[in-house]
Amino acid sequence: MKFLAPLICTGFLTACGVAYVTPQVSERSVAGLEVDVVPMTVSSVTAANAAPYTPRPLPAVYSQSISAGSTPTGAGAPPAQPVSEQLRPDSIPTLLPDPQPQRPYLIGVGDIVALSSPQLSSPSVDDDGAAGTQQRYTVQDDGAIAIANVGRVVIAGQTLEAAETELFQRFVENQIDPAFSLEILEFNSQRVNVGGAVNTPSVLPIQFVPLYLDDALTLAGGANASEPQFTTVRLYRDGTLYQVALDEVRTQRVQLQDGDSIFVDAAYDYTRAQAFFEEQIALAEVQRGRRQAALDQLRTELLLRRTQQQEARAVFQEKLELGAVDRDYVYLMGELDEQSRFALPFGQRAVLADAISSTGGIPNETGNASQIYVLRAGEDAASVNAWRLDGRNAANLILATRFELRPDDIVFVSEQPITRWSRFLDQLFPSLLSASVD
């Protein structure tokens, strides 16, 4: 009788719900809350996902590309141009460079290109200010242009077609619609200097169309010489000086190339021409030195910005680990491998399957797959919406990959009936043994 008395008493307490209490989801009004249990179906999932929600964004430091503007370089003061007398020559010998094969235009530093794309509507760091979907970019000292959401793309030294291929590949790698057009707006990288006895001394750009010696003189306003047959046109290229009489220029179709310097000498002064070319060389040296200094400064600036970006990301990660960053959570309760809270990701939405998988899933021995709930506060403070997923049919689990979670949702999994009895017995037997000993 001593053994049966505790058993009868414990059974009575169990029937009264005192010996073992297990959480359940019920539509009964509890604590002033009205619970509405809805089976999870395609239509009910669609209705639940209609609840407005904007995921918290990552800090801007995670989406910014590292780029820096080009530092302009000056040419410095040109050297003085010497002047001396020169007697009229009997004839002007013709000395011209060997004909060069025509080559396609290669994009270079300083060129300004226009990129038109429906997905590039925001200006880049080194953008020249154009509005709309056409963006202007200056090819910087490292040969690259900086494109938002793509990064730095090196196009210097490439033809327009090769640059388009490179941009197409980078757009595809960054999942951007590769429908775009590329054109060169300003040709600044390849130039020819024209000076001496011309009406308008000029620096002429080389473009897609080949530039010839007679065309360059025309663009410089023509030669300012009363005796063309005694006027010398001198061409300085790669350390070699060439020349031809002015009245023979049109018959000698000399194609110009980047770095050529032309001097029209109406006074038969070779020394003046030589001084002009030395001036161009000195000018090029000054520009080269300042360009290198600008490139070094650009690299230093990029390194500094990259370091600042890495430090900002590290600070954010430390705050995140310490819980000092506002996060949205979903709470996981009931028969799961681990009861915890699931942090909703930044910048995207999470679904029920993400939350359940984060804990290791539902244990087959204890979890009731037919009673998986998502509890969410209703529109008023006295209502609770409960969506019930019946996972006994594995096909229904596809709904878990579609059901979007919202902040403060509660994912609850009921226990198996046999689990409830097993736990009851685990509590009961120690009491029986203790009673029998007494």
Side-chain angles (χ1 to χ4, degrees), residues 193-217:
N193 295 288
V194 182
V198 292
N199 291 311
T200 309
S202 307
V203 177
L204 305 176
I206 295 179
Q207 305 182 17
F208 288 122
V209 179
L211 180 63
Y212 293 93
L213 180 57
D214 56 327
D215 297 329
L217 295 178

Side-chain angles (χ1 to χ4, degrees), residues 88-120:
R88 175 181 296 183
D90 295 331
S91 63
I92 299 176
T94 299
L95 178 62
L96 296 177
D98 295 331
Q100 300 292 326
Q102 290 192 4
R103 301 169 182 169
Y105 184 84
L106 300 181
I107 300 173
V109 174
D111 285 345
I112 297 178
V113 299
L115 183 62
S116 299
S117 172
Q119 291 196 16
L120 297 179

